[in-house]
């Protein structure tokens, strides 16, 4: 199918059901066939896979996923889309639509119910207003997950994928890269959607690491130290760490930096994952946590 045809199909469905887009639910439906193929191809789905999709919309991506996967479990918050999905996906027998808010869904229960013995793959054109909470819930709750291939705002994709000493590098980069290898696999201009969103988009692939390659004494403390290090981007690491609050003051910061063998005059944004790990482990010793 070409893009003109998929534009027309989407518009026809929307008008047939008198569907009204809800901006606050991030409803921008994908109508670019090339981007659609890029998402599905980079998810590398096989016939044994269970795919969790967040926000199926009118089912365009859902259908493509269902051709490759064993089953697709799609969580959609908008009850007005449920009768539309029943019709657009009527010929597919391996799709389960659940009318629920993904943020209120028990993710472990979901995976246990539909794929108890095999890690799932998440594929979604995400509602942008909750991109970070969705990603971080799957990762922090350690949901049995192989990969996430998700369409998100381009700026957020760049931040997740950023390397040290760049303007996009921040606590989100470190948090996601702690759990996953990251790769931007496609770009999507505004015109790839109906209605057009206000921002450009990108598809990012997050591959959950089997081995994180670092040993942490206290994982919560690691995330606290990362947040502290980025809390004052223009100040030195010593200043940012000393004034953050929850990890002690100047004395503790000096000691931890010395143990970790990190120059106190550096800026937080220059530290890589291994240095953050050393710093957090040094703090664990200093704070006895
Ligand atoms: N997958 C479709 C596509 O690619 O055309 C639609 C993607 S659209 C960007 C986001 C979808 O997520 C919408 O269908 C919206 O109703 C749904 N959604 C928004 N918030 C949600 C939430 N909290 N839980 C589940 N679905 C949600």
């Amino acid at each position: 199918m070409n893009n003109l045809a998929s534009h027309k199909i989407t518009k026809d469905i929307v008008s047939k059901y008198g569907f009204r887009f809800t901006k606050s639910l991030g409803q921008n439906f994908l109508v670019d066939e090339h981007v659609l193929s890029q998402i599905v191809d980079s998810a590398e789905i096989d016939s044994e896979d269970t795919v969790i999709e967040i926000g199926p919309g009118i089912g365009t991506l859902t259908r493509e996923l269902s051709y490759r996967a064993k089953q697709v479990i799609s969580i959609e918050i908008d009850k007005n889309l449920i009768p539309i999905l029943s019709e657009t996906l009527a010929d597919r027998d391996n799709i389960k639509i659940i009318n629920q808010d993904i943020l209120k869904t028990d993710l472990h229960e979901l995976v246990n119910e539909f794929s108890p013995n095999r890690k799932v793959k998440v594929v979604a054109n995400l509602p942008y207003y909750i991109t970070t909470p969705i990603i971080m819930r799957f990762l922090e709750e350690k949901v049995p997950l192989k990969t996430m291939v998700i369409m998100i705002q381009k700026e957020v994709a760049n931040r997740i994928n950023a390397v040290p000493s760049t303007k996009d590098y921040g606590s989100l980069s470190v948090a996601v890269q702690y759990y996953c290898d990251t790769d931007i696999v496609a770009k999507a201009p505004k015109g790839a959607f109906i209605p057009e969103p206000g921002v450009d988009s990108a598809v990012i692939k997050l591959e959950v690491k089997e081995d994180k390659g670092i040993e942490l004494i206290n994982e919560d403390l690691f995330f606290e130290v990362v947040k502290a290090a980025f809390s004052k981007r223009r100040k030195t690491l010593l200043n940012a760490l000393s004034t953050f609050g929850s990890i002690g003051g100047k004395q503790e910061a000096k000691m931890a930096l010395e143990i970790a063998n990190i120059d106190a005059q550096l800026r937080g944004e220059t530290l890589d994952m291994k240095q953050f790990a050393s710093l957090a482990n040094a703090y664990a010793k200093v704070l006895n946590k």
Side-chain angles (χ1 to χ4, degrees):
M1 206 194 304
N2 63 31
N3 287 350
L4 268 179
S6 85
H7 258 89
K8 182 168 174 352
I9 288 174
T10 301
K11 282 192 167 151
D12 286 350
I13 292 173
V14 165
S15 83
K16 178 177 169 193
Y17 289 89
F19 176 73
R20 287 170 175 271
F21 290 94
T22 306
K23 206 174 172 194
S24 61
L25 289 179
Q27 290 177 338
N28 304 97
F29 296 163
L30 184 62
V31 289
D32 186 309
E33 291 295 317
H34 180 58
V35 177
L36 191 63
S37 310
Q38 284 178 306
I39 296 177
V40 177
D41 288 345
S42 50
E44 297 183 89
I45 298 160
D46 72 43
S47 57
E48 290 304 306
D49 281 328
T50 294
V51 173
I52 309 264
E53 187 198 13
I54 299 142
I58 57 167
T60 316
L61 175 58
T62 323
R63 167 175 289 280
E64 294 306 315
L65 296 169
S66 79
Y67 292 137
R68 310 234 183 147
K70 180 177 165 201
Q71 55 180 346
V72 183
I73 314 299
S74 298
I75 316 292
E76 173 56 60
I77 196 172
D78 187 349
K79 67 175 178 0
N80 296 324
L81 286 167
I82 307 304
I84 304 181
L85 287 162
S86 303
E87 195 172 312
T88 56
L89 301 173
D91 59 319
R92 304 298 305 156
D93 62 3
N94 63 342
I95 298 173
K96 167 107 179 137
I97 306 288
I98 302 175
N99 184 202
Q100 209 162 283
D101 179 347
I102 189 67
L103 294 180
K104 294 190 182 139
T105 303
D106 184 325
L107 300 175
H108 279 277
E109 214 169 76
L110 185 74
V111 174
N112 254 335
E113 182 177 351
F114 293 102
S115 186
N117 302 317
R118 192 178 161 92
K119 291 180 183 172
V120 297
K121 292 180 176 167
V122 171
V123 184
N125 172 14
L126 284 183
Y128 293 171
Y129 74 108
I130 44 171
T131 301
T132 311
I134 292 175
I135 297 174
M136 293 320 294
R137 265 202 70 202
F138 273 94
L139 299 179
E140 284 172 355
E141 292 182 18
K142 301 186 169 50
V143 177
L145 183 71
K146 254 191 231 131
T147 54
M148 291 181 104
V149 173
I150 45 179
M151 172 90 77
I152 59 179
Q153 198 177 324
K154 191 179 85 187
E155 282 72 21
V156 180
N158 288 339
R159 280 166 51 208
I160 289 176
N161 203 43
V163 296
S165 301
T166 60
K167 73 168 174 31
D168 288 327
Y169 189 61
S171 53
L172 183 64
S173 331
V174 181
V176 177
Q177 290 175 32
Y178 168 68
Y179 294 107
C180 303
D181 292 316
T182 66
D183 188 18
I184 294 178
V185 292
K187 302 256 167 72
K190 295 170 191 166
F193 305 89
I194 291 180
E196 290 192 12
V199 293
D200 287 329
S201 305
V203 179
I204 192 162
K205 181 170 184 173
L206 310 178
E207 198 147 9
V208 177
K209 291 177 183 172
E210 295 284 336
D211 174 8
K212 295 195 178 67
I214 53 173
E215 294 285 336
L216 293 178
I217 298 171
N218 180 335
E219 203 175 63
D220 291 341
L221 187 56
F222 168 77
F223 288 113
E224 204 64 10
V225 168
V226 171
K227 260 192 252 159
F230 286 106
S231 63
K232 288 188 175 158
R233 290 189 79 108
R234 288 162 184 279
K235 299 274 166 71
T236 65
L237 204 43
L238 178 61
N239 187 297
L241 295 171
S242 304
T243 52
F244 188 67
S246 61
I247 53 171
K250 198 166 185 175
Q251 177 99 356
E252 288 80 2
K254 271 187 170 168
M255 283 165 71
L257 285 161
E258 198 172 313
I259 296 171
N261 200 18
I262 294 171
D263 181 349
Q265 298 310 309
L266 288 176
R267 302 231 169 130
E269 68 205 40
T270 64
L271 265 53
D272 64 17
M273 187 70 66
K274 287 216 160 84
Q275 287 173 302
F276 274 120
S278 311
L279 185 57
N281 286 343
Y283 259 109
K285 286 177 194 147
V286 172
L287 301 175
N288 210 7
K289 277 190 174 176

